[in-house]
Amino acid sequence: MTLTTFALIRHGQTDWNAQRRLQGATDIPLNDVGRGQARDAVDVLSDYEWDAIVSSPLSRAAETASVIADGLGLSVTRHIPALAERSFGPAEGLQAGPELEALRIPGGYRGAETEEDAAARGLGALEALAEEFPARRVLVVAHGTLLRVSLNRAIGRTLHRIDNAVLNLAHYHATEGWHLEYFNGERVVATAQG
């Protein structure tokens, strides 16, 4: 059976993460904590051999990927626009409070990309990578919401917050679908579905 293995890594911390501001597609850079998280991720990721490293083009993901690639003695293969974070439209930059609540609608925020569209975009990008790199290992650096909603759709479970710069390890087979082995650095215990 031909499995493509993915490390799905959320970028390191930004100032907006620390301030609990909704980032979305706004291009906010890593902060020093985030750079340290990216360097720390190398230890876990060096337990595997990687055939390709790709990232979102947003600077926080691209820099995280670059730091990890340098630590592994590799280079970033390319930046993939479909891996950019879900757009939250006018809600971006806001913190929890009345202004953000005024934009809330079922499933997200007014003017935002829908969760379904973000999941389809993210999962489509990952499955295209699986076609390009069959039976290989691909390290993907992207964004918390995009990775979470894509994985939710892929495995048919509801996952919650993805932590910055930790290992999420998933395997993809064209006919058998997705299997999540690690989530937020912890081995996933299989649960009965139904």
Side-chain angles (χ1 to χ4, degrees), residues 170-187:
H171 308 280
Y172 177 75
H173 183 268
T175 57
E176 296 185 13
W178 288 88
H179 168 72
L180 184 61
E181 185 178 353
Y182 282 88
F183 180 68
N184 281 339
E186 303 289 328
R187 186 174 289 277

Side-chain angles (χ1 to χ4, degrees), residues 40-79:
D40 292 346
V42 172
D43 289 340
V44 171
L45 294 167
S46 65
D47 290 344
Y48 304 88
E49 289 186 21
W50 300 103
D51 297 301
I53 300 176
V54 300
S55 87
S56 154
L58 295 178
S59 63
R60 59 191 182 266
E63 186 178 356
T64 300
S66 180
V67 168
I68 289 171
D70 288 348
L72 295 173
L74 301 169
S75 359
V76 176
T77 308
R78 72 177 174 276
H79 301 102

Side-chain angles (χ1 to χ4, degrees), residues 10-11 14 44 51 54 89 95 114 137 141 162 173-175 183 190-191:
R10 179 185 177 196
H11 60 79
T14 69
V44 171
D51 297 301
V54 300
Q95 296 170 301
T114 67
R137 292 179 173 272
V141 180
I162 292 183
H173 183 268
T175 57
F183 180 68
T191 57

Side-chain angles (χ1 to χ4, degrees), residues 77-95:
T77 308
R78 72 177 174 276
H79 301 102
I80 300 174
L83 292 174
E85 180 61 297
R86 176 184 176 190
S87 170
F88 289 105
E92 292 182 11
L94 299 179
Q95 296 170 301

